[in-house]
Amino acid sequence: MAFVEPITIKDAIDNIHRKNYLLPAIQREFVWSVDQIETLFDSLMRDYPINSFLFWEVERNNVDKYQFYEFVREYHERDSYHNPKANLSGESGIIAILDGQQRLTSLYIGLKGSYAYKMPRKRWDNDAAFPKRHLYLNLFHAPAEDSNIEYQFSFLTKKEAGFATLTISGLRLAKFSTSSSRSTSMIIC
């Protein structure tokens, strides 16, 4: 097995989005919680290594011998937690992810998708119990001395993030009011 040059997060997300990276049927489903995703983004911001990925380059003439799935982008704890089956009608081979699916899916959801999980004390058959949340970074967060988290990432609903948003270079800025301190910060999503 050859060593492959490191890739950027942007390259990985672009390859997932263009369906160049797919998941073989042997992969388990996405299971990471919002806390795990937020911690992953904190680790990236702190320049911690997030380990390596194991890729399997599948040539076009072998693609039909296996079952592949796309990455989850819009995760919904009740309605959309399964990976969609991949349409393999292209003319080139694909790259299957053998190790790193949880991390790559977390990056994809955090940067391009959403995560809807059930609110406490709400019924499973209530659609409002699963609000869509996007990942935000609190730009003015001051970490506590005893905290393992330096960068405060949070999955928030549009209401929690506030409705006054501004887009600059593809990044959405929003006002965010914390309930504990009643202070307002700018966050980026």
Side-chain angles (χ1 to χ4, degrees), residues 42-167:
D42 176 68
S43 296
L44 288 168
M45 292 293 289
R46 294 165 82 172
D47 207 22
Y48 290 171
I50 61 166
N51 215 332
S52 59
F53 301 104
L54 182 59
F55 297 117
W56 171 30
E57 206 168 313
V58 184
E59 295 177 7
R60 179 65 208 139
N61 59 336
N62 290 324
V63 167
D64 295 335
K65 297 177 183 176
Y66 306 99
Q67 182 65 58
F68 295 98
Y69 294 87
E70 296 176 17
F71 283 79
V72 172
R73 178 177 174 176
E74 305 294 331
Y75 179 85
H76 191 288
E77 187 178 19
R78 183 191 67 195
D79 298 337
S80 181
Y81 55 90
H82 295 295
N83 297 76
K85 192 173 177 180
N87 177 1
L88 302 173
S89 60
E91 294 181 17
S92 61
I94 57 117
I95 296 174
I97 307 303
L98 297 179
D99 183 42
Q101 181 247 354
Q102 300 295 318
R103 288 168 284 148
L104 287 171
T105 302
S106 295
L107 291 172
Y108 194 45
I109 288 171
L111 295 172
K112 285 200 173 273
S114 64
Y115 196 113
Y117 57 88
K118 185 181 162 302
M119 295 173 57
R121 297 175 297 285
K122 299 275 186 176
R123 293 176 49 102
W124 278 88
D125 60 355
N126 179 357
D127 289 342
F130 299 89
K132 184 183 277 194
R133 294 173 172 88
H134 292 93
L135 186 65
Y136 291 85
L137 167 62
N138 184 345
L139 296 175
F140 298 106
H141 170 70
E145 280 187 34
D146 60 345
S147 175
N148 290 332
I149 300 296
E150 188 171 327
Y151 295 92
Q152 183 185 30
F153 283 91
S154 301
F155 277 93
L156 304 173
T157 64
K158 285 183 180 180
K159 183 178 180 181
E160 291 167 334
F163 291 100
T165 61
L166 170 68
T167 302

